[in-house]
């Protein structure tokens, strides 16, 4: 069951965790980070 | 959906199983059906996908932001759930009453991406240049690598 909060043990790498917001929230945040001249790094945890 | 090797107790068994699947042309993974209620969370937009290799998705009207030549700059590692709760409506997104506990350090707190966005003044004010998410925030399973939360299920 998708309960853990830490981002490991992915069930599906194409579906976002419901608890962290929808795609539009992510796009808004990423856009704002870039607007501030900052960058964003996402780990892919394939086999944990 | 990625195939789960539940109940497979040894690497040998896993290797034999993989070899059998390969020899018999059994696909090791199949695609989840495209569901309307997951559209807001689904990075895949190919509704006809039968196999994860057919998944596809793009960010329309987005201008690609190139990576820097040199990453030697201040990083801030954000464990998203522990950070800031910007949208309380998604704290119990699975529809139960037992998905977050703000007073516990052993269970989901309720942080989300909107909370991070609301706090960018603070992060940028420290001189941080990169927000690093230590694990990709996708739908996940806690039954294998991290079992501590199962006490609460």
């Amino acid at each position: 069951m998708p309960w853990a909060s830490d981002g490991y043990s992915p069930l599906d790498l194409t579906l976002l965790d419901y608890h962290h917001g929808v795609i539009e929230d992510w796009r808004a945040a990423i856009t704002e980070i870039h607007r501030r001249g900052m960058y964003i790094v996402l780990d892919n945890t394939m086999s944990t | 959906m990625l195939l789960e090797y539940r109940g497979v107790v040894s690497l040998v068994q896993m290797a034999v199983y993989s070899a059998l699947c390969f020899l018999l042309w059994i696909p090791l993974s199949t695609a989840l059906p495209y569901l309307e209620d997951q559209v807001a969370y689904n990075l895949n937009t190919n509704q006809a996908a039968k196999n994860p290799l057919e998944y596809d998705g793009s960010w329309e009207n987005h201008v690609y932001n190139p990576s820097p030549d040199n990453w030697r700059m201040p990083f801030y590692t954000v464990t998203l759930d522990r950070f800031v709760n910007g949208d309380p409506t998604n704290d119990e997104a699975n529809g139960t009453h037992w998905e977050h506990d703000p007073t516990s350090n052993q269970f989901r707190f309720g942080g989300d991406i909107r909370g991070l966005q609301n706090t960018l003044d603070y992060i940028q004010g420290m001189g941080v240049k990169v927000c690093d998410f230590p694990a990709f925030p996708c739908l996940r399973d806690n039954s294998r690598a991290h079992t501590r939360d199962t006490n609460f299920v």
Side-chain angles (χ1 to χ4, degrees):
Chain A
M1 290 296 291
W3 287 86
S5 58
D6 56 13
Y8 295 95
S9 306
L11 267 183
D12 190 310
L13 291 157
T14 62
L15 281 175
L16 297 179
D17 190 320
Y18 300 165
H19 300 85
H20 292 154
V22 297
I23 292 173
E24 287 307 318
D25 292 340
W26 279 94
R27 288 175 174 171
I30 291 168
T31 301
E32 178 62 18
I33 288 170
H34 286 158
R35 192 189 66 77
R36 291 166 181 258
M38 299 161 71
Y39 297 96
I40 182 168
V41 172
L42 287 163
D43 279 3
N44 274 319
T45 47
M46 298 296 184
S47 60
T48 54
Chain B
M1 185 171 171
L2 299 175
L3 184 81
E4 296 266 299
Y5 286 106
R6 283 185 201 285
V8 178
V9 292
S10 72
L11 285 173
V12 175
Q13 281 175 288
M14 196 181 288
V16 169
Y17 180 65
S18 301
L20 267 177
C21 288
F22 179 77
L23 289 173
L24 299 175
W25 289 88
I26 299 171
L28 277 172
S29 52
T30 53
L32 280 175
Y34 191 92
L35 301 173
E36 287 294 328
D37 59 347
Q38 292 174 339
V39 167
Y41 306 92
N42 196 348
L43 301 177
N44 168 47
T45 52
N46 178 11
Q47 301 188 21
K50 295 275 195 293
N51 182 300
L53 293 176
E54 297 166 7
Y55 281 159
D56 193 24
S58 61
W59 182 349
E60 287 175 13
N61 303 318
H62 174 62
V63 179
Y64 175 65
N65 193 69
S67 297
D69 294 329
N70 186 348
W71 283 100
R72 189 162 289 194
M73 55 179 82
F75 272 55
Y76 194 67
T77 300
V78 184
T79 309
L80 198 57
D81 171 69
R82 311 296 326 166
F83 196 48
V84 178
N85 190 352
D87 182 7
T89 63
N90 62 21
D91 289 350
E92 290 167 340
N94 290 349
T96 74
H97 295 296
W98 310 102
E99 290 167 42
H100 81 301
D101 181 358
T103 63
S104 169
N105 62 4
Q106 300 290 307
F107 200 45
R108 187 184 293 282
F109 166 72
D112 48 47
I113 188 65
R114 200 176 292 177
L116 175 78
Q117 185 180 348
N118 294 346
T119 318
L120 282 174
D121 279 346
Y122 166 71
I123 296 175
Q124 189 179 21
M126 289 190 288
V128 169
K129 293 295 180 193
V130 182
C131 292
D132 170 30
F133 296 84
F136 192 72
C138 50
L139 209 60
R140 59 188 63 115
D141 180 7
N142 75 340
S143 64
R144 295 164 70 202
H146 298 263
T147 55
R148 62 170 189 265
D149 290 348
T150 53
N151 293 328
F152 296 87
V153 172

